[in-house]
Amino acid sequence: QVELAESGGGSVQTGGSLRLSCALSMYYHNICVGWFRRAPGKEREGVAAIYTGTDTTTYTDSAKGRFTVAQDSAKNTLYLQMDSLKPEDTAMYYCAAVQSPEPPCRLGANDYSYWGLGTQVTVSS
């Protein structure tokens, strides 16, 4: 059982930045931790993921160049640094984990077993 808790959401203006955190109940070597989001009226979509054993990262096209996923194993915490935010980035953001995968991590919601409760990000124009 992997327990995750997101934090760091908030409201920013277009072009601003936020750093989301995903705290794990303990450090897990060789798992995928993904970031997902769900905007009102839309399906949940993957944003970025990291394989904890090798720091291998995966990004969707909308996240490349603006978002960075990283980990701090000493703090059992994963981060999603989001820069150059746009109104279309407004969504509830979730982190999720799956044990014993092979890198690179996938970004399909069905590929992940454990989920946090989410943190809201709102970007105003």
Side-chain angles (χ1 to χ4, degrees):
Q1 183 81 14
V2 180
E3 297 180 356
L4 310 97
E6 305 92 339
S7 62
S11 297
V12 296
Q13 293 187 328
T14 298
S17 298
L18 282 173
R19 188 178 76 162
L20 306 183
S21 299
C22 175
L24 306 181
S25 49
M26 59 180 288
Y27 180 74
Y28 294 86
H29 196 61
N30 292 343
I31 66 170
C32 280
V33 178
W35 284 97
F36 295 81
R37 65 187 183 186
R38 176 178 281 167
K42 295 187 177 180
E43 296 289 321
R44 182 164 47 187
E45 63 173 348
V47 175
I50 186 168
Y51 187 70
T52 60
T54 61
D55 277 338
T56 303
T57 56
T58 307
Y59 296 94
T60 57
D61 288 343
S62 64
K64 287 178 182 177
R66 298 191 301 128
F67 295 1
T68 303
V69 59
Q71 64 172 328
D72 184 339
S73 59
K75 296 182 179 180
N76 302 337
T77 302
L78 290 299
Y79 302 99
L80 182 68
Q81 176 67 42
M82 304 188 296
D83 299 317
S84 302
L85 284 163
K86 306 173 183 179
E88 51 263 45
D89 295 316
T90 295
M92 183 72 80
Y93 283 71
Y94 302 87
C95 61
V98 57
Q99 293 177 293
S100 302
E102 294 183 355
C105 299
R106 299 180 179 182
L107 285 173
N110 291 336
D111 294 315
Y112 288 77
S113 306
Y114 306 100
W115 291 82
L117 297 179
T119 186
Q120 177 68 36
V121 171
T122 302
V123 184
S124 58
S125 57

